Amino acid sequence: ALRRHLHLFIFSDNVPIADEIAMKQEALRRGLLCMGPDQGTAYLGGVGLGFANVVARGRVGCVAASGTGLQAVVSRLDALGEGVSHAIGVGGRDLSEAVGGAMTLFALDALAADPATEGIVLVSKPPHPSVLDRVEARLAAIPKPTVICCVGAKPRSPGKVVWVDTLQQAADAIVAAMAGQRWDSAPLSDAGQVGKCLRSLAGAGCGGRRILGLYTGGTLAYETGHVLRGAFGDDHPHRILDLGDDEYTVGRPHPMIDPRTRGEMIVRAGDDPGIGVLLVDLVLGKGAHENPAAPLVEAVHEAHRIARSGGRDIAVLAAVIGTVRDPQGLASQTALLQEAGIATLATNADAARCAAMLVHPPLRAEWMRE
């Protein structure tokens, strides 16, 4: 494909890293994009590739070493009334020491030169330190507002580049920067919604018990783990699983397409007296299951039945990632969850912090600013 002067979008994982390096070096020689391997989402010229939420064309350019992390950012941008010029996915290993950020640096240069792009966001898990140095230097040299969200990475010295801690903050910060406004780094995007969730689940009796997170999105799972480590330390007892990881997808579709593996795990969670809160994501958009709320609700109903038969309850929280124009219907999918007693939050970080406050109420003083 590269020899025919075609850009690449490689959804597949389990690709040897030597092959990835060779493909990206060939792409760079030809001035082409190699998006992936293991890249679930991208947008070029308004066209979504892979798992893609329906978002408007706009002024924000994204470079992402993740799929669902990018989906969370563009969905939040859409909710804020902003759109995307291009969103270039680079694959989960691009910022490793071996690959060296090859496609990330190329994509940043492309967005810097694009007149339709007025602000730039970088989304990834923590890069290798040597790669992060090069990436931050490249961002600092771009004469446009820039935001970096390397979930779990420690912010560098303050400068032109705005560092944020969560995916929601990445969208909020770039919109504020392009408007010439100050960005509010509050820990919750919607404290009122989180407070309502805490009140509605007050009788679930989950204080002191464990959180189980069952995620279809890898970066969403990573972000939740980052929030919980910040709240409880590295040795916390809570368990967060990325069901889109290689070990769960060999020989079967991605869980955003086939929800059966997660459904089975949710049902088993109802029989575990140590679990007080179940955290899930619901990711909408093209390419995903046509009605993902339905199997999730069915599994949660059964988990609730099992837990209550043992004299327990389990609180279930969901972060819904989507836009009003997604084919599944953001409002209808959210309503299905709420009717089943599943609390829905607008951002993944809010859901993670709400779960942490349910099992450890003293955190409310810090995050709710009570």
Side-chain angles (χ1 to χ4, degrees):
L2 291 170
R3 288 168 183 156
R4 292 176 181 269
H5 206 70
L6 297 172
H7 299 296
L8 295 181
F9 177 78
I10 308 172
F11 181 89
S12 304
D13 53 15
N14 293 294
V15 175
I17 196 163
D19 290 355
E20 177 174 348
I21 293 169
M23 285 187 290
K24 287 183 172 175
Q25 291 304 317
E26 180 71 15
L28 291 175
R29 283 193 292 271
R30 296 173 180 270
L32 297 170
L33 295 170
C34 178
M35 296 174 283
D38 195 20
Q39 181 62 38
T41 304
Y43 295 82
L44 292 182
V47 178
L49 305 176
F51 294 126
N53 301 96
V54 181
V55 300
R57 290 291 300 276
R59 303 176 295 160
V60 180
C62 301
V63 178
S66 70
T68 50
L70 176 57
Q71 287 187 264
V73 171
V74 300
S75 294
R76 179 71 175 177
L77 286 170
D78 189 80
L80 296 171
E82 189 50 77
V84 175
S85 56
H86 309 279
I88 301 170
V90 296
R93 297 184 303 199
D94 192 74
L95 292 164
S96 66
E97 184 178 20
V99 184
M103 197 50 51
T104 298
L105 296 170
F106 181 71
L108 288 173
D109 287 343
L111 292 177
D114 175 35
T117 298
E118 298 180 23
I120 297 173
V121 176
L122 172 67
V123 182
S124 77
K125 297 172 185 175
H128 188 273
S130 64
V131 180
L132 182 55
D133 288 340
R134 295 198 293 274
V135 168
E136 191 175 23
R138 190 69 56 90
L139 280 167
I142 295 174
K144 299 178 181 182
T146 54
V147 170
I148 184 167
C149 178
C150 295
V151 179
K154 293 183 178 179
R156 301 300 182 96
S157 58
K160 174 183 173 294
V161 180
V162 178
W163 277 80
V164 300
D165 198 43
T166 66
L167 300 166
Q168 157 257 313
Q169 290 177 345
D172 292 1
I174 195 63
V175 169
M178 291 192 305
Q181 298 172 350
R182 181 181 175 275
W183 165 62
D184 181 7
S185 59
L188 299 171
S189 70
D190 190 336
Q193 185 188 41
V194 172
K196 181 179 178 181
C197 173
L198 291 171
R199 290 189 294 273
S200 70
L201 297 172
C206 47
R209 292 158 69 196
R210 288 184 286 111
I211 299 167
L212 173 64
L214 298 175
Y215 281 84
T216 63
T219 304
L220 300 176
Y222 194 89
E223 180 180 57
T224 294
H226 169 60
V227 168
L228 298 184
R229 285 191 296 273
F232 302 113
D234 291 339
D235 297 326
H236 64 75
H238 312 294
R239 192 177 185 208
I240 309 299
L241 299 179
D242 166 19
L243 301 183
D245 199 20
D246 292 4
E247 65 178 296
Y248 299 105
T249 58
V250 173
R252 61 171 67 110
H254 192 280
M256 283 166 58
I257 300 171
D258 184 349
R260 286 176 293 180
T261 297
R262 182 164 74 169
E264 293 165 1
M265 297 176 78
I266 289 171
V267 171
R268 290 199 297 272
D271 201 31
D272 186 338
I275 295 174
V277 178
L278 177 64
L279 263 175
V280 295
D281 58 348
L282 188 76
V283 185
L284 310 181
K286 294 181 178 181
H289 190 283
E290 63 183 12
N291 183 16
L296 178 57
V297 163
E298 182 180 356
V300 167
H301 273 313
E302 182 61 12
H304 275 146
R305 186 195 66 78
I306 294 170
R308 288 164 184 166
S309 69
R312 305 182 309 278
D313 205 351
I314 184 169
V316 185
L317 285 73
V320 182
I321 308 300
T323 73
V324 295
R325 293 181 296 281
D326 282 335
Q328 296 88 349
L330 177 61
S332 60
Q333 291 285 296
T334 301
L336 279 175
L337 299 187
Q338 293 172 343
E339 289 164 7
I342 301 171
T344 61
L345 285 302
T347 74
N348 185 60
D350 279 2
R353 289 195 166 102
C354 188
M357 287 185 280
L358 282 168
V359 299
H360 190 62
L363 288 168
R364 293 180 61 149
E366 175 184 355
W367 288 338
M368 297 294 291
R369 297 181 176 177
E370 296 177 337

